[in-house]
Amino acid sequence: MLWKKCGLIWSPEAGSDKFHRYGILPVPIYIKEHNIVRVFFGSADKNIHSKIYSLDLNPDNLNEVIRPPGKIKLDIGKPGTFDDSGVVPSYVIRIKDNLILYTVGFQRAEKVPYILFAGIAVSNDFGETFRKPHESPILPRNNFRPTSQGAPSVLYLNGKYKMWHWFSTKWIKINGKYFLDYKIGYAESKDGLNWKMKNITCLEPDNTKGEFALARPYVLYENEMFKMWYSKRLIDKGYRIGYAESIDGINWIRKDDLTGIDVSKDGWDSEMVCYPAILDLQNKRYLFYNGNNNGATGFGYAELVKS
């Protein structure tokens, strides 16, 4: 693969009262009824409480923002719930006329920086408003996932919903700071709302290459092949984007040499590229992604020029 970078789409406005920190985890979807590309993303207020916003792009020119971010699409949860300190998007899937938005919720903690779990919200107006079917996480703790799990990517195939997500079993210290030891796991569902996690590790970091986490998978299925883009975190470089393939969705072969995108020489994505999301539109394939400092500089996109 080879991706041609097409530029920055949105960056936080310094000093804004609404959102001035991060434009994280872009999640695009084409809405044919309105002929727009709607992108959901997380942005934090001055108290670092992330909330979900969206903006609309011209599908004929993804550099053109035709509706800038405004009203909050999904707010933080009620006090004591899993997302009472912040919520960001991870994946959106359309089921008939409903959008199901999978999320990652934050809770602040005492002994570790935060607690993260996956959530869900449903919209029947193409993402203008969302409601939560329930206030609890969809991937809760269990005996083989005791610490944290989130960032779902979901496909509906052969009458079953399949999910790939990161999970963590412990906190680790890297250069004196606490981080989760992200790996990629798997879950299944009959309705897309209620999930059963499998005790399966699809991918894990390669410690021999300085990796300590694999996060935010984004999975497609085409030509009888599962294809996954993900973020790999390295001790000395921060995040980079990786790529893997699978016949069954369970056993994966990493092919990072085919990823086809890396940091730029300078600018908003010169230190880091992460949190990839794929959009197929008008016979073209686009990659939305975050740049420096985990999305502090916003998000942009690239076009596939060689498969």
Side-chain angles (χ1 to χ4, degrees):
M1 285 179 290
L2 179 63
W3 299 91
K4 176 186 176 183
K5 292 185 177 181
C6 300
L8 180 67
I9 293 175
W10 186 85
S11 181
E13 297 177 1
S16 168
D17 291 334
K18 292 183 178 179
F19 28 65
H20 62 283
R21 299 192 182 194
Y22 298 93
I24 197 170
L25 288 156
V27 178
I29 185 171
Y30 176 64
I31 300 175
K32 61 181 180 180
E33 287 82 357
H34 301 305
N35 192 33
I36 59 172
V37 172
R38 180 154 289 169
V39 185
F40 301 99
F41 64 95
S43 194
D45 60 22
K46 62 183 179 181
N47 296 315
I48 319 298
H49 290 152
S50 295
K51 303 170 184 179
I52 295 176
Y53 296 82
S54 75
L55 54 75
D56 295 341
L57 305 176
N58 179 354
D60 298 316
N61 177 13
L62 295 179
N63 287 303
E64 181 184 351
V65 178
I66 57 179
R67 188 175 77 166
K71 183 179 178 181
I72 295 171
K73 300 304 176 185
L74 193 65
D75 208 337
I76 60 175
K78 297 176 182 178
T81 58
F82 76 101
D83 54 356
D84 67 358
S85 299
V87 61
V88 295
S90 177
Y91 193 85
V92 64
I93 187 171
R94 181 168 179 168
I95 302 177
K96 296 181 180 180
D97 289 331
N98 290 329
L99 297 184
I100 298 182
L101 181 67
Y102 296 93
T103 67
V104 182
F106 295 71
Q107 268 191 309
R108 289 174 178 158
E110 179 181 353
K111 293 186 177 181
V112 294
Y114 44 74
I115 301 170
L116 305 176
F117 286 100
I120 196 169
V122 179
S123 173
N124 58 11
D125 55 11
F126 303 113
E128 293 293 336
T129 59
F130 282 93
R131 63 174 180 83
K132 297 179 184 178
H134 46 70
E135 296 290 338
S136 59
I138 59 172
L139 301 177
R141 288 186 174 96
N142 60 26
N143 61 337
F144 57 85
R145 300 278 192 271
T147 305
S148 185
Q149 43 268 343
S153 177
V154 177
L155 294 178
Y156 181 72
L157 290 172
N158 302 321
K160 183 184 298 183
Y161 291 89
K162 299 173 179 288
M163 176 194 290
W164 296 265
H165 61 92
W166 58 248
F167 72 91
S168 171
T169 57
K170 62 182 178 180
W171 285 83
I172 56 176
K173 271 193 174 182
I174 304 293
N175 296 328
K177 294 178 64 176
Y178 271 118
F179 292 93
L180 290 165
D181 67 330
Y182 295 136
K183 305 173 182 68
I184 306 299
Y186 178 73
E188 292 181 350
S189 170
K190 294 180 180 180
D191 58 9
L193 301 175
N194 301 285
W195 291 88
K196 182 178 181 180
M197 282 183 289
K198 304 291 185 178
N199 191 7
I200 293 170
T201 300
C202 296
L203 288 175
E204 56 187 330
D206 186 344
N207 301 122
T208 66
K209 295 182 179 180
E211 299 173 358
F212 65 91
L214 298 184
R216 207 285 179 95
Y218 202 97
V219 179
L220 299 182
Y221 184 72
E222 61 180 7
N223 301 324
E224 299 184 350
M225 178 79 69
F226 292 93
K227 300 179 179 182
M228 180 193 295
W229 289 261
Y230 53 90
S231 294
K232 53 181 180 178
R233 194 160 196 169
L234 297 100
I235 294 173
D236 59 344
K237 292 183 179 180
Y239 273 122
R240 297 293 187 270
I241 295 174
Y243 174 75
E245 294 180 346
S246 172
I247 297 297
D248 58 8
I250 303 298
N251 301 286
W252 292 82
I253 298 174
R254 291 185 61 171
K255 298 185 176 182
D256 291 347
D257 58 316
L258 300 181
T259 301
I261 191 168
D262 206 338
V263 295
S264 299
K265 291 183 179 179
D266 52 44
W268 71 278
D269 62 348
S270 60
E271 301 171 5
M272 191 180 293
V273 288
C274 58
Y275 308 142
I278 302 295
L279 176 69
D280 288 331
L281 180 67
Q282 299 174 353
N283 297 316
K284 294 182 179 180
R285 174 160 290 177
Y286 299 101
L287 172 71
F288 287 68
Y289 67 98
N290 278 126
N292 301 345
N293 192 19
N294 301 53
T297 57
F299 62 87
Y301 77 108
E303 180 181 344
L304 183 65
V305 294
K306 184 179 179 181
S307 59

